[in-house]
Amino acid sequence: MAKTDGGFRNYLCNYAGMLQLLFMVCGFILVLNTLSLLVVSPESATYVIVMLNFTGLIPLVAGIGYMVLYCRNVPA
């Protein structure tokens, strides 16, 4: 794999404040989704929606979390 200068990642670091806000909002929604999992019965259609939310939110939060950590370690 070739080494790159991290062009797109460094470009995203210009928006580090917005990335942090998006991380907090998505993390909050993930917590609410987890709490709703305790209330929803597994036989309902709402349970399917909660699981679909998990499949979308977990990679999104992980990717944004990576970018937040990456941008903290990039020299300005």
Side-chain angles (χ1 to χ4, degrees):
M1 190 151 106
K3 290 190 175 192
T4 61
D5 62 351
F8 184 65
R9 288 186 296 180
N10 289 338
Y11 176 75
L12 285 178
C13 287
N14 293 333
Y15 302 99
M18 288 184 228
L19 285 172
Q20 289 175 350
L21 181 64
L22 185 61
F23 179 74
M24 288 187 289
V25 168
C26 288
F28 180 68
I29 292 172
L30 189 61
V31 168
L32 290 178
N33 202 26
T34 305
L35 292 175
S36 69
L37 192 62
L38 301 173
V39 179
V40 174
S41 68
E43 295 86 25
S44 68
T46 308
Y47 184 79
V48 176
I49 300 299
V50 169
M51 286 300 152
L52 287 173
N53 283 341
F54 272 122
T55 59
L57 279 172
I58 290 174
L60 183 66
V61 169
I64 296 170
Y66 168 76
M67 281 307 302
V68 168
L69 291 176
Y70 175 81
C71 291
R72 284 186 181 175
N73 296 324
V74 172

